[in-house]
């Protein structure tokens, strides 16, 4: 159901494109508060591996949906939807502008669009998880590719959690997971203006590699070890970087591990690009262009002004 008159702006795009830095400048210029649309930054302690905004960034602009749940908990897309919409409503009530920032495409759509979420069955899910344990997630991914090629194409073959969920829905409803809800209807419940940040593929890959190097230097291995000792839930264990560290064989060389994380992140970035490219509401900006934050600010102001009044 549409929230009449509730204005929301957003900056989306693939990982390492430069969203967080640009968002700080845009938020300060527009008097906005940032709502993170990142499926992993919501967990406490997952700081280095998710490149979570640091204390200085949070001090400059209020951030929401960071450090909301312990990493041994599982935040469903439905719960994330509820939390994000509550944050948006509270920001709007304070007379501020909500600025959504992130690259988690599924969570993004769940927040801004009226999407239905299919039923759950602990029994069916447990059966599928046992199958994944026997044959590996790649075997389940192959089964999903036969039943629902569109859904399979959007998922990493090793992402057990999402593959199991898709097969669970298919078994319970008799319909493809990709057909659930109004996924092909890009009709936001908000008065929404969206900017996307992109970079040439080679440049994005260089930034991804540099980010992984930086994470390893900042203590990614130590962070994963600490979190594992405390307990990691099924969702948190699938996070980029964390999963590769957890699944690495004892004695794996750091350079080998680094390359695995880089390659997995590149694959993820390509899927993000495909996901957001399908959304006709997004106006794209070159992230490396001079004064890109100022351009984004001008875009948001112009878009809202054209609709009657400034944000």
């Amino acid at each position: 159901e549409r929230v009449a008159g509730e204005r929301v702006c957003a900056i989306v795009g693939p990982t390492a494109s430069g969203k967080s830095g640009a968002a700080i400048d845009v938020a300060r210029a527009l008097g906005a508060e940032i709502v993170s649309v990142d499926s992993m930054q919501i967990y406490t302690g997952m700081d280095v591996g998710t490149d979570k905004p640091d204390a200085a960034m949070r001090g400059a602009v209020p951030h929401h949906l960071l450090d909301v749940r312990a990493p041994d908990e599982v935040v469903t897309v439905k719960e994330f939807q509820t939390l994000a919409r509550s944050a948006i409503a509270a920001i709007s009530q304070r007379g501020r502008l909500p600025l959504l920032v992130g690259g988690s495409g599924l969570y993004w759509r769940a927040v801004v669009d009226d999407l239905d979420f299919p039923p759950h069955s602990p029994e069916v899910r447990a059966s599928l998880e046992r199958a994944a344990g026997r044959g590996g997630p790649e075997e389940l991914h192959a089964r999903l590719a036969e039943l629902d090629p569109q859904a399979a194409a959007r998922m990493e073959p090793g992402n057990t959690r999402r593959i199991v969920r898709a097969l669970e829905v298919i078994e319970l409803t008799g319909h493809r997971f990709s057909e659930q809800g109004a996924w092909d209807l890009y009709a936001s419940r908000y008065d929404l203006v969206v900017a996307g940040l992109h970079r040439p593929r080679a440049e994005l890959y260089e930034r991804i590699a540099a980010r992984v190097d930086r994470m390893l230097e900042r203590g990614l291995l130590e962070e994963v070890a600490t979190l594992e000792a405390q307990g990691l839930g099924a969702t948190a264990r699938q996070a980029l970087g964390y999963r590769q560290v957890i699944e690495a064989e004892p004695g794996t060389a750091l350079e080998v591990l680094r390359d695995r994380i880089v390659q997995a992140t590149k694959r993820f970035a390509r899927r993000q690009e495909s996901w957001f490219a399908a959304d006709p509401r997004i106006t794209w900006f070159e992230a490396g262009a001079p004064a890109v934050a100022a351009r984004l600010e001008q875009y948001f102001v112009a878009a809202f002004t054209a609709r009657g009044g400034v944000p």
Side-chain angles (χ1 to χ4, degrees), residues 65-285:
L65 266 62
L66 301 179
D67 301 329
V68 175
R69 293 285 186 273
D72 61 348
E73 299 181 62
V74 173
V75 178
T76 65
V77 180
K78 178 65 176 176
E79 183 181 3
F80 191 97
Q81 178 190 66
T82 300
L83 291 169
R85 289 180 177 178
S86 295
I88 289 169
I91 294 167
S92 298
Q93 288 167 5
R94 290 194 293 273
R96 307 272 285 178
L97 179 67
L99 172 58
L100 309 184
V101 181
S104 296
L106 172 62
Y107 292 73
W108 151 255
R109 292 293 310 279
V111 173
V112 300
D113 294 332
D114 283 318
L115 301 176
D116 296 324
F117 291 92
H120 289 267
S121 167
E123 294 78 13
V124 171
R125 187 165 61 251
S127 175
L128 290 166
E129 288 172 347
R130 286 193 297 271
R134 291 191 301 269
E138 289 77 13
E139 187 173 300
L140 282 190
H141 188 267
R143 185 194 305 181
L144 179 62
E146 293 179 4
L147 298 173
D148 189 346
Q150 186 176 353
R154 291 179 172 178
M155 298 181 192
E156 177 74 21
N159 192 331
T160 304
R161 180 180 60 86
R162 290 195 64 195
I163 295 168
V164 164
R165 175 58 177 150
L167 290 171
E168 175 191 17
V169 169
I170 292 170
E171 184 165 338
L172 290 174
T173 67
H175 299 287
R176 293 181 176 185
F177 182 70
S178 57
E179 296 172 349
Q180 302 294 321
W183 291 95
D184 293 331
L185 299 178
Y186 294 90
S188 178
R189 66 199 310 270
Y190 301 108
D191 184 3
L192 179 70
V193 178
V194 194
L197 287 183
H198 70 91
R199 292 179 184 270
R201 183 65 61 80
E203 180 182 326
L204 184 66
Y205 283 178
E206 289 178 2
R207 289 174 61 87
I208 286 172
R211 170 179 283 190
V212 172
D213 289 337
R214 199 162 55 245
M215 289 176 177
L216 290 169
E217 291 169 2
R218 291 175 56 205
L220 175 62
L221 301 185
E222 292 78 7
E223 181 172 272
V224 174
T226 298
L227 290 169
E228 270 224 283
Q230 297 172 349
L232 277 174
T235 301
R237 296 179 72 85
Q238 295 295 328
L240 276 171
Y242 297 83
R243 179 185 167 198
Q244 285 73 31
V245 174
I246 291 169
E247 295 182 353
E249 306 83 359
T252 300
L254 183 61
E255 186 64 23
V256 172
L257 183 56
R258 179 257 188 201
D259 288 345
R260 289 177 184 172
I261 298 172
V262 169
Q263 293 306 316
T265 307
K266 288 179 180 179
R267 291 193 298 270
F268 178 61
R270 290 195 296 270
R271 290 198 304 278
Q272 288 177 301
E273 288 175 330
S274 297
W275 183 285
F276 289 118
D279 194 328
R281 296 168 294 192
I282 302 174
T283 297
W284 290 94
F285 294 80

Side-chain angles (χ1 to χ4, degrees), residues 24-91:
I24 295 293
D25 293 336
V26 171
R28 294 177 72 173
L30 297 180
E33 297 184 20
I34 292 173
V35 179
S36 169
V37 187
D38 187 294
S39 62
M40 297 300 171
Q41 290 184 354
I42 197 168
Y43 296 109
T44 58
M46 298 180 67
D47 303 328
V48 174
T50 66
D51 204 27
K52 194 178 292 179
D54 59 24
M57 298 172 78
R58 297 196 218 186
V61 174
H63 283 67
H64 304 268
L65 266 62
L66 301 179
D67 301 329
V68 175
R69 293 285 186 273
D72 61 348
E73 299 181 62
V74 173
V75 178
T76 65
V77 180
K78 178 65 176 176
E79 183 181 3
F80 191 97
Q81 178 190 66
T82 300
L83 291 169
R85 289 180 177 178
S86 295
I88 289 169
I91 294 167

